[in-house]
Amino acid sequence: DKNGIEQVVLRNVRGASATVSLHGGQVLSWKTERGEELLFTSTKAVYTPPKPVRGGIPICFPQFGNRGTLEQHGFARNKIWVIDQNPPPLPTDSNGKACIDLLLKPSEDDMKIWPHSFEFRLRVCLAADGRLNMISRIRNVNGKPFSFSFAFHTYFSISDISEVRVEGLETLDYLDNLHQKERFTEQGDALTFESEVDRVYLDSSSMVAVLDHERKRTFVIRKEGLPDVVVWNPWEKKSKSIVDFGDEEYKQMLCVDGAAVGKPITLKPGEEWTGRLELSVVPST
Ligand code: BG6
């Protein structure tokens, strides 16, 4: 509980944990059984709504970035969600997971800026082996179709940005936010970092890995219903312009998001979309 906002802590039998805030439905912490934090959160983060906390996993919906008329990354991350007491079952439901179900419905004010009635159900689960699962289900309860973009804006905690590489995006096309969203093709091998990066990789395979050489660990991102991967690091200059972010903190974070940005998702009345993300961490050499 920070500033009166409810947080739910999930724990598994081995002592791993995850913290989810009702503010934004945002995961704020994900720890291994040894208590190591796997997600980055800024020391300058502000926990007072409506702005989202700088770090963890904010949810971008119904807009990604500034690709539309809504506020940056949409409004879902700014809202207070409720606990969903009676969530509809999922085919993957099983024992041995600690889960929380949250629900967001638009307020009257939201309907003024985005006039579409939806039910957004978020399930966050911590599995017995420490994996973090996130499932978003978005249903159109409107009389007409609507379209949206989506991202699980995941801030991974890393040893040093110059020590990490991302595998699984080789040869893909990407939209570069630093070049008017122009489309390029990734040429190199794995992605490494030596300057600001702000890209949307299009139509990736279902698995992407973030290798942290110094910490000898690899984050594995598995996704379904989320064709794209956003990669973001603000680097030195942009960091200084972000008020809730330390000047040097870009070295310790990398955002790699499972996302649906390249082609917006369209839902007809009564239709539901599901996007799944699974994060795990494995030792590497
Ligand atoms: C990225 C965007 O995914 O999110 C960047 O592509 C943006 O352009 C970044 O700066 C952080 O956004 P925000 O609104 O949380 O500061």
Side-chain angles (χ1 to χ4, degrees), residues 21 31 46 50 97 110 132 148 175 177 179 186 197 206-207 214 228 269 275 278 282:
S21 174
K31 287 184 182 168
V46 178
K97 283 186 196 161
D110 299 336
L132 189 72
F148 62 88
L175 307 175
N177 271 336
H179 291 96
E186 184 59 51
V197 175
S206 61
M207 202 170 105
E214 202 172 297
D228 309 324
E278 182 191 84
V282 292

Side-chain angles (χ1 to χ4, degrees), residues 54 64 72-73 77 153 155 177 198 230 232 238 257:
R54 175 71 57 196
F64 181 77
Q72 160 97 345
H73 290 324
R77 63 178 185 164
H153 203 330
Y155 286 75
N177 271 336
D198 190 349
V230 174
W232 181 60
K238 178 144 188 200
D257 319 356

Side-chain angles (χ1 to χ4, degrees), residues 2-151:
K2 272 201 167 116
N3 293 334
I5 300 180
E6 206 175 323
Q7 296 185 353
V8 178
V9 181
L10 306 173
R11 279 182 217 287
N12 74 5
V13 283
R14 296 193 197 152
S17 67
T19 305
V20 187
S21 174
L22 295 202
H23 175 204
Q26 186 169 344
V27 174
L28 293 179
S29 164
W30 171 40
K31 287 184 182 168
T32 65
E33 50 196 80
R34 277 178 279 138
E36 276 174 288
E37 181 57 68
L38 300 170
L39 299 177
F40 166 88
T41 305
S42 173
T43 55
K44 299 224 170 135
V46 178
Y47 289 84
T48 322
K51 287 271 183 233
V53 173
R54 175 71 57 196
I57 313 180
I59 287 174
C60 306
F61 171 85
Q63 176 181 300
F64 181 77
N66 58 5
R67 294 168 156 77
T69 54
L70 303 180
E71 61 200 284
Q72 160 97 345
H73 290 324
F75 50 76
R77 63 178 185 164
N78 301 338
K79 300 292 172 188
I80 304 297
W81 294 49
V82 297
I83 293 178
D84 192 0
Q85 302 291 359
N86 200 5
L90 277 159
T92 49
D93 280 352
S94 69
N95 295 330
K97 283 186 196 161
C99 297
I100 178 75
D101 286 278
L102 300 182
L103 175 62
L104 180 71
K105 293 182 189 182
S107 67
E108 274 178 30
D109 282 347
D110 299 336
M111 292 286 285
K112 281 180 203 151
I113 56 158
W114 202 65
H116 307 297
S117 214
F118 64 86
E119 289 173 359
F120 185 156
R121 291 194 158 77
L122 173 69
R123 174 170 295 181
V124 181
C125 296
L126 185 67
D129 62 3
R131 284 165 205 247
L132 189 72
N133 286 287
M134 303 188 64
I135 302 170
S136 282
R137 286 183 282 176
I138 297 169
R139 178 176 290 278
N140 182 348
V141 291
N142 221 29
K144 54 182 178 16
F146 64 70
S147 299
F148 62 88
S149 302
F150 180 91

Side-chain angles (χ1 to χ4, degrees), residues 134-138 148-152 203-207 222-229 257-267 272-278:
M134 303 188 64
I135 302 170
S136 282
R137 286 183 282 176
I138 297 169
F148 62 88
S149 302
F150 180 91
F152 285 119
D203 291 317
S204 90
S205 73
S206 61
M207 202 170 105
R222 290 189 180 80
K223 59 195 180 63
E224 264 175 57
L226 300 164
D228 309 324
V229 175
D257 319 356
V261 174
K263 287 190 203 84
I265 310 283
T266 299
L267 290 178
E272 186 174 79
W273 167 85
T274 304
R276 293 167 187 269
L277 189 74
E278 182 191 84

